[in-house]
């Protein structure tokens, strides 16, 4: 029995350069890299040496604190280089791909007939485990835990959103198998939030509790759906998985192969023909960007413009990426730019621009801060874009003051940094809310565990 | 504007770290960022940001105050010349009023911003824009005859003891502008009340006198000589900006429409004041209590206070529910103080200051409600498990 969720507050940010519904496979380059820095809180320990050979699915490194969690090669070839930074920190394991695509065989299996430990082992050994993320704290799940529920949001409301139903259209079987596998890992249910327009597409998924979500951004963020369906209490563990990653897990059980191929939306006003690309995890993106990113001063972001990370043209496809956004840099001055009621070229929650007159306009927003950081003055604006029974301003203040008990009381376990993306965007004082929440979560990990 | 940008860029290095004038960097950057929204880009967190910033918010409030300011100037001329019986044109009245009011505005901004810059340089932080609004509010809530040096002292008191000692903009407990008025009121009472201060030159010219309507009522007189229309339009004596409800409503409309000020506080204040007014009407034993409840809303500083001062986001309640409670009591207490304390008929100032003090407490209980809900949920789960 599914119940539907409507999320009232929020803000959609319409940007120029939405991806066309067209998937192009890019030519696979021979340079690949897996970056341990993609995995928050993981201390990598290498399992390979430079110049060794690997097949797809061979472990490259594992987590020192949780040795069962392995990170495996997305491609077969030879280890070209171990790139290290300060204090010999491992920045990337670089692989030179061969042309053979040799898969390590993890064994085909009918996932419905496996028990919990068998499913777990297969996911762990193949390198699919890092796709399972734990709430609270937004870190990779601990394989020794049994979560009270697993949540997947296939509804994306972020700016220039990736349409999950579209990118899964050829991976439906794998997606269904992935859901079945996940359902083995929890005593509770696997919950799948979908957009009402995709109801037909997902109707065949058997082992999940499906609910339709409506509302503005951040309705698609899984935290807000969890809060409505089965809120996280102190001591609870909930796991979340991205829909695309569910299909990779499903593919593992259907074929016995680890095949981390991702369809990503390349979007934004800095892209020549915004569309979807089918890429391999860790592949060098230089060629792709060379042909698709416009000339000029643009910022390339792995992820959406609210929560993503800035990357360079030389970056290899990060592990979790579902979209890449390219928007203009905003390092320019604007004479008396703070003057209200001039122009409608910027989007604002306040009606101090004329942008409220043109609700359907798509904006070409740049990375200018549009002001400077100031003391917190304006109240009530964060709540407008934070549809959860949590007081965001008070939570942020508790974080800045390191008040652990207060953080706990105010609901720190229910939120992750990405939920504060819109608060970063809207707040007048230009507060870095996501950074503060990540800091708070780190304190909680250290003090509470 | 390129030449200006170039000029600023040439002298900028002097103020940056290692430069000769590093100490004065806050002052330079305050002016630089006033002229040009800086070229700063996002580093962490969201890569795009809302177009709004504190300057824009503060300046919107200043814009909302302009109708009240211009009407106030005109009314200063009107109150003066209508009493000596000369008939002057609109522009003459406005010019006369401006000659009285603009010096107050200049002193308020000059002294207040001077202190803000000094503190910013001393502490090495950037100049916050909070004083843009305070500096305009202070002259608008003073009587026109207040000597400029008293105004300056009130500004110094409000900015230093009301704001800077708490850590500057965003940290203050009380609304600085109201604090300036409270300081002036208690220190220089003869200049802040009575029948000689509300109309320009009333103390010098015998023919002129003017009491505020509330002062009139408090001394047991009725106010039949003023029509309701006069009260609403603001053709009455009073603090410079407070008299015209129409102009204040125009400002309120701008603040509510842009979302800069909380409509919840304004509405709940009106509700609170109406409730108190109605109670007094039922129990009326003197002219102040008998004043129809809705007339309370359009005389004195009530409208100005709840639109521009009670809604100050720093000193008011911060939670949505808290704002309703806070606003209600501002209105309720304003009328209560007005009626019960005949020595001090203007209750809205005291009511807002009092509620400023209680706002954190209100928020505390609202937030505790949220904490309790969360704990209850946990308990319920623990029971079923």
């Amino acid at each position: 029995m599914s119940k539907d969720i409507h999320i009232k507050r929020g803000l959609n940010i319409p940007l120029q350069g939405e991806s066309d519904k067209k998937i192009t496979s890019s030519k696979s380059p021979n340079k690949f890299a897996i970056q341990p820095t993609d995995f928050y809180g993981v201390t990598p320990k290498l399992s390979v040496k430079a110049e060794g050979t690997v097949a797809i699915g061979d472990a490259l490194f594992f987590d020192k604190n949780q040795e069962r969690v392995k990170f495996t090669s997305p491609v077969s070839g030879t280890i070209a280089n171990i790139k290290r930074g300060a204090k010999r920190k491992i920045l990337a394991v670089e692989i030179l791909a061969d042309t053979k695509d040799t898969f390590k065989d993890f064994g085909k299996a009918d996932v419905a007939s496996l028990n919990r430990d068998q499913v777990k082992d297969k996911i762990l050994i193949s390198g699919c485990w890092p796709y399972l993320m734990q709430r609270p704290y937004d870190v990779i799940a601990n394989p020794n835990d049994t979560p009270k529920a697993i949540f997947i949001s296939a509804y994306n409301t972020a700016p220039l959103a990736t349409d999950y139903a579209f990118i899964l259209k050829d991976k439906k079987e794998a997606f269904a198998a992935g859901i079945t596998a996940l359902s083995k890992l929890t005593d509770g249910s696997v919950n799948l939030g979908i957009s009402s327009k995709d109801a037909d597409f997902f109707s065949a998924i058997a082992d999940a509790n499906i609910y339709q979500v409506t509302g503005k951004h951040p309705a698609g963020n899984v935290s807000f759906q969890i809060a409505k369906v089965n809120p996280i209490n102190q001591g609870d563990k909930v796991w979340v998985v991205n829909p695309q990653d569910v299909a990779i897990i499903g593919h593992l059980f259907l074929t016995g192969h680890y095949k981390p191929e991702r369809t990503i939306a390349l979007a934004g006003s800095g892209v020549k023909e915004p569309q979807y690309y089918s890429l391999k995890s860790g592949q060098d993106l230089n060629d792709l960007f060379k042909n698709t990113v416009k000339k000029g001063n643009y910022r390339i972001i792995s992820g959406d413009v609210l929560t993503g990370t800035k990357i360079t043209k030389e970056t290899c496809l990060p592990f979790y990426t579902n979209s890449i956004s390219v928007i203009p840099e905003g390092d320019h001055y604007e004479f008396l730019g703070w003057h209200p009621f001039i122009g409608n070229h910027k989007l604002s929650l306040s009606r101090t621009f004329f942008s409220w007159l043109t609700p359907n306009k798509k904006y070409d927003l740049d990375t200018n801060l549009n002001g400077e950081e100031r003391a917190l003055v304006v109240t009530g604006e964060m709540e407008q874009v934070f549809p959860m029974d949590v007081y965001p301003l008070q939570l942020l203040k508790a974080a800045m003051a390191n008040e652990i008990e207060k953080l706990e009381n105010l609901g720190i376990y229910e939120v992750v940094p990405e939920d504060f993306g819109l608060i970063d965007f809207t707040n007048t004082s230009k507060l870095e809310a996501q950074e503060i929440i990540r800091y708070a979560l780190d304190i909680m990990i250290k003090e509470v565990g | 504007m390129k030449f200006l940008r170039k000029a600023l860029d040439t002298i900028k290095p002097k103020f940056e770290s290692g430069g000769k004038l590093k100490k004065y960097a806050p002052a330079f950057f305050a002016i630089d960022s006033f002229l040009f929204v800086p070229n700063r880009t996002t580093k962490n967190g969201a890569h795009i940001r809302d177009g709004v910033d504190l300057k824009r918010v503060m300046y919107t409030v200043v814009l909302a105050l302009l109708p009240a300011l211009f009407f106030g100037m005109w009314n200063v001329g009107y109150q003066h010349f209508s009493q000596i019986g000369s008939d002057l044109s609109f522009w003459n009245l406005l010019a006369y009023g401006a000659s009285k009011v603009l010096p107050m505005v200049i002193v308020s901004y000059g002294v207040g911003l001077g202190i803000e810059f000094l503190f910013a340089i001393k502490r090495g932080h950037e100049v916050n824009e909070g004083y843009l609004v305070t500096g305009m509010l202070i002259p608008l809530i003073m009587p026109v005859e207040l000597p400029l040096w008293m105004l300056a002292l009130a500004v110094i008191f409000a900015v230093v003891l009301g704001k800077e000692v708490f850590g500057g903009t965003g940290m203050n407990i009380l609304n600085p502008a109201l604090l300036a008025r409270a300081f002036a009121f208690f220190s220089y009472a003869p200049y802040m009340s009575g029948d000689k201060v509300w109309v320009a030159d009333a103390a010098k010219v015998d023919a002129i006198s003017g009491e505020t309507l509330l002062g009139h009522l408090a001394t047991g007189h009725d106010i039949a000589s003023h029509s309701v229309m006069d009260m609403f339009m603001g053709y009455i004596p009073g603090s410079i900006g407070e008299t015209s409800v129409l102009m204040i409503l125009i400002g309120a409309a701008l603040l509510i429409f842009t979302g800069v000020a909380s409509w919840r506080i304004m509405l709940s204040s009106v509700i609170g004041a109406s409730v108190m007014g109605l109670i007094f009407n039922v129990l009326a034993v003197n002219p102040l209590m008998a004043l129809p409840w809705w007339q309370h809303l359009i005389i004195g500083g009530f409208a100005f206070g709840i639109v521009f001062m009670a809604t100050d986001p720093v000193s008011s309640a911060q939670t949505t529910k808290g704002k309703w409670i806070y606003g209600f009591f501002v209105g309720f207490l304003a009328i209560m103080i007005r009626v019960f304390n005949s020595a001090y008929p203007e209750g809205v100032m005291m009511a807002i200051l009092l509620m400023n003090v209680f706002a954190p407490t209100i928020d505390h209980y609202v937030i505790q409600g949220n904490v309790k809900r969360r704990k209850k949920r946990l308990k319920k789960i623990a029971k079923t498990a």
Side-chain angles (χ1 to χ4, degrees):
Chain A
M1 180 45 216
S2 73
K3 70 177 181 185
D4 295 338
I5 297 177
H6 179 64
I7 285 170
K8 272 190 220 131
R9 288 169 290 163
L11 174 73
N12 283 336
I13 300 177
L15 291 185
Q16 287 174 11
E18 214 168 304
S19 300
D20 275 346
K21 294 276 162 58
K22 177 168 109 185
I23 302 178
T24 310
S25 352
S26 90
K27 201 178 84 185
S28 184
N30 51 16
K31 196 184 149 197
F32 281 74
I34 294 293
Q35 298 139 40
T37 43
D38 287 349
F39 310 103
Y40 194 83
V42 166
T43 315
K45 252 344 238 160
L46 287 174
S47 338
V48 288
K49 282 191 183 128
E51 287 164 32
T53 54
V54 284
I56 303 174
D58 271 337
L60 297 174
F61 56 91
F62 58 90
D63 184 4
K64 193 180 159 193
N65 304 314
Q66 189 52 258
E67 296 191 2
R68 291 162 77 194
V69 178
K70 297 196 186 332
F71 303 83
T72 54
S73 177
V75 71
S76 61
T78 49
I79 308 291
N81 183 24
I82 312 283
K83 199 174 157 194
R84 289 180 189 267
K87 291 185 186 166
R88 291 184 54 76
K89 183 181 171 185
I90 302 169
L91 298 180
V93 178
E94 292 171 357
I95 308 156
L96 203 61
D98 57 25
T99 46
K100 284 180 281 193
D101 276 354
T102 328
F103 285 95
K104 181 169 179 178
D105 189 22
F106 296 104
K108 241 198 278 195
D110 174 21
V111 64
S113 64
L114 299 181
N115 66 24
R116 179 172 295 172
D117 283 336
Q118 288 167 319
V119 172
K120 218 181 237 186
D121 286 342
K122 209 182 264 300
I123 295 178
L124 279 164
I125 192 92
S126 64
C128 286
W129 192 266
Y131 293 125
L132 310 181
M133 298 296 287
Q134 173 201 292
R135 305 292 168 105
Y137 307 145
D138 197 26
V139 290
I140 293 172
N142 182 340
N144 302 325
D145 289 336
T146 305
K148 77 163 179 176
I150 294 176
F151 279 84
I152 300 153
S153 172
Y155 180 42
N156 195 351
T157 48
L160 302 172
T162 308
D163 183 340
Y164 288 125
F166 172 70
I167 59 177
L168 288 173
K169 70 178 173 23
D170 297 326
K171 302 177 181 169
K172 208 167 168 179
E173 201 192 346
F175 183 75
I179 295 273
T180 310
L182 293 175
S183 70
K184 301 275 177 180
L185 298 178
T186 171
D187 295 329
S189 52
V190 175
N191 301 282
L192 175 64
I194 60 165
S195 157
S196 51
K197 75 173 173 51
D198 302 327
D200 287 343
F201 179 80
F202 289 107
S203 60
I205 306 298
D207 294 309
N209 171 22
I210 297 175
Y211 47 86
Q212 293 182 13
V213 188
T214 48
K216 294 177 183 168
H217 191 55
N221 280 21
V222 71
S223 300
F224 297 95
Q225 299 171 11
I226 298 174
K228 288 261 181 188
V229 176
N230 190 355
I232 303 170
N233 295 298
Q234 190 182 339
D236 283 350
K237 297 266 164 70
V238 165
W239 290 353
V240 303
V241 193
N242 185 277
Q244 183 141 233
D245 305 339
V246 173
I248 296 175
I249 294 172
H251 185 83
L252 169 73
F253 287 93
L254 291 179
T255 63
H257 293 164
Y258 170 59
K259 198 178 174 202
E261 271 184 16
R262 317 182 72 77
T263 307
I264 62 125
L266 185 60
S269 62
V271 179
K272 274 178 204 153
E273 282 166 42
Q275 56 185 290
Y276 289 83
Y277 288 90
S278 175
L279 306 173
K280 284 181 184 157
S281 194
Q283 86 168 57
D284 182 23
L285 296 173
N286 214 341
D287 284 345
L288 177 72
F289 290 147
K290 220 181 267 170
N291 299 326
T292 52
V293 173
K294 290 181 192 165
K295 285 217 165 58
N297 192 9
Y298 289 100
R299 179 180 293 192
I300 305 173
I301 299 156
S302 157
D304 69 67
V305 292
L306 291 177
T307 62
T309 2
K310 184 177 167 177
I311 57 173
T312 63
K313 280 190 177 173
E314 286 73 42
T315 307
C316 293
L317 185 66
F319 191 76
Y320 295 105
T321 300
N322 291 307
S323 66
I324 292 175
S325 318
V326 185
I327 57 169
E329 280 286 4
D331 50 349
H332 53 77
Y333 288 93
E334 194 178 351
F335 182 64
L336 297 184
W338 47 269
H339 200 296
F341 310 116
I342 292 178
N344 73 341
H345 55 299
K346 287 180 193 171
L347 183 70
S348 177
L349 196 65
S350 75
R351 290 209 186 105
T352 57
F353 289 90
F354 287 111
S355 47
W356 55 272
L357 282 171
T358 50
N360 295 322
K361 181 182 160 140
K362 299 209 178 218
Y363 293 85
D364 186 13
L365 300 181
D366 61 34
T367 63
N368 193 291
L369 202 52
N370 294 324
E372 294 171 292
E373 191 167 341
R374 286 290 182 263
L376 284 164
V377 169
V378 180
T379 61
E381 55 185 1
M382 294 186 181
E383 287 80 356
Q384 282 185 56
V385 293
F386 201 79
M388 194 190 282
D389 189 19
V390 163
Y391 285 99
L393 177 66
Q394 281 71 21
L395 191 70
L396 288 165
K397 284 186 175 176
M400 288 190 262
N402 289 332
E403 294 183 272
I404 292 173
E405 196 184 334
K406 220 172 188 178
L407 281 169
E408 200 162 67
N409 285 338
L410 291 172
I412 188 70
Y413 298 126
E414 295 172 51
V415 298
V416 296
E418 65 168 28
D419 304 331
F420 285 76
L422 266 179
I423 288 184
D424 269 359
F425 175 78
T426 53
N427 88 79
T428 304
S429 302
K430 313 294 175 190
L431 187 82
E432 301 292 355
Q434 293 186 83
E435 208 177 322
I436 295 167
I437 291 299
R438 184 67 259 176
Y439 167 77
L441 291 175
D442 288 346
I443 305 179
M444 298 310 287
I445 294 175
K446 215 165 111 194
E447 301 288 335
V448 184
Chain B
M1 285 307 129
K2 272 197 181 133
F3 78 96
L4 188 60
R5 186 64 255 159
K6 263 191 192 153
L8 285 167
D9 283 339
T10 351
I11 56 168
K12 199 184 214 171
K14 291 200 178 106
F15 294 95
E16 281 166 339
S17 56
K20 259 188 197 160
L21 300 170
K22 171 80 185 77
K23 222 168 110 190
Y24 303 101
F28 172 79
F29 285 110
I31 295 165
D32 189 6
S33 73
F34 176 81
L35 290 170
F36 293 92
V37 167
N39 61 349
R40 232 166 268 186
T41 54
T42 52
K43 293 279 173 284
N44 316 302
H47 297 269
I48 53 171
R49 298 298 165 104
D50 194 298
V52 81
D53 72 340
L54 204 54
K55 277 195 186 65
R56 181 171 276 263
V57 167
M58 291 298 174
Y59 192 62
T60 305
V61 183
V62 173
L63 282 182
L65 281 164
L66 290 183
L69 173 74
F70 286 120
F71 182 88
M73 286 182 187
W74 175 84
N75 195 39
V76 164
Y78 173 77
Q79 293 298 327
H80 176 81
F81 286 109
S82 66
Q83 292 217 15
I84 45 175
S86 44
D87 203 14
L88 285 170
S89 73
F90 169 82
W91 292 107
N92 283 335
L93 295 178
L94 188 69
Y96 177 81
S99 75
K100 293 277 173 189
V101 175
L102 281 182
M104 297 176 79
V105 174
I106 292 165
V107 166
S108 166
Y109 272 122
V111 174
L113 285 177
I115 300 171
E116 291 267 351
F117 273 70
L118 267 181
F119 269 86
I121 290 169
K122 197 90 196 141
R123 290 184 176 159
H125 66 61
E126 288 176 75
V127 179
N128 273 270
E129 287 82 3
Y131 196 76
L132 287 181
V133 171
T134 313
M136 183 60 88
L137 283 173
I138 291 176
L140 289 182
I141 54 175
M142 297 294 188
V144 63
E145 279 295 86
L146 188 75
L148 291 178
W149 67 269
M150 288 186 194
L151 180 74
L153 271 185
V155 167
I156 294 171
F157 179 85
V159 176
V160 175
L161 287 175
K163 208 162 85 171
E164 293 301 338
V165 295
F166 293 104
T169 299
M171 318 292 175
N172 48 301
I173 296 170
L174 299 170
N175 181 300
L178 276 177
L179 203 61
R181 194 180 200 278
F183 172 82
F185 182 79
F186 289 112
S187 307
Y188 310 112
Y191 293 91
M192 294 290 290
S193 56
D195 60 0
K196 290 292 177 193
V197 300
W198 305 105
V199 179
D201 284 344
K204 286 183 216 146
V205 186
D206 275 348
I208 309 177
S209 81
E211 232 179 344
T212 62
L213 269 52
L214 283 165
H216 217 65
L217 283 163
T219 45
H221 302 90
D222 64 35
I223 50 168
S225 61
H226 292 281
S227 70
V228 168
M229 204 55 195
D230 283 357
M231 300 177 201
F232 181 73
M233 297 303 289
Y235 310 138
I236 51 174
S239 299
I240 295 162
E242 73 174 17
T243 61
S244 176
V245 177
L246 178 68
M247 296 300 151
I248 292 165
L249 283 178
I250 293 172
L254 182 70
L255 292 182
I256 292 174
F257 179 76
T258 53
V260 165
S262 164
W263 59 270
R264 293 183 179 91
I265 291 177
M266 297 187 206
L267 179 63
S268 59
S269 295
V270 169
I271 295 171
S274 306
V275 168
M276 190 77 256
L278 277 168
I279 295 174
F280 281 134
N281 282 175
V282 173
L283 308 169
V285 291
N286 64 30
L288 250 181
M289 286 174 83
L291 184 74
W293 61 272
W294 53 269
Q295 284 190 20
H296 269 298
L297 307 179
I298 56 170
I299 62 172
F302 180 79
F304 192 86
I306 63 156
V307 170
F308 294 111
M309 323 271 249
T311 52
D312 168 13
V314 175
S315 55
S316 70
Q318 299 183 340
T319 56
T320 306
K321 214 187 267 175
K323 281 176 182 159
W324 284 108
I325 300 169
Y326 162 89
F328 181 86
F329 279 105
V330 165
F332 193 84
L333 290 173
I335 306 305
M336 186 191 277
I337 296 170
R338 221 179 230 191
V339 170
F340 279 161
N341 190 349
S342 56
Y344 184 54
E346 195 37 275
V348 70
M349 169 182 100
M350 295 314 268
I352 296 173
L353 285 173
L354 188 69
M355 290 315 292
N356 280 174
V357 172
F358 281 108
T361 315
I362 297 172
D363 279 336
H364 174 79
Y365 282 105
V366 171
I367 291 164
Q368 280 309 306
N370 177 271
V371 171
K372 272 189 197 137
R373 263 200 305 285
R374 191 164 287 111
K375 286 195 167 151
K376 216 166 146 189
R377 196 174 74 199
L378 180 65
K379 249 187 211 158
K380 209 169 125 197
I381 305 264
K383 243 182 220 165
T384 54

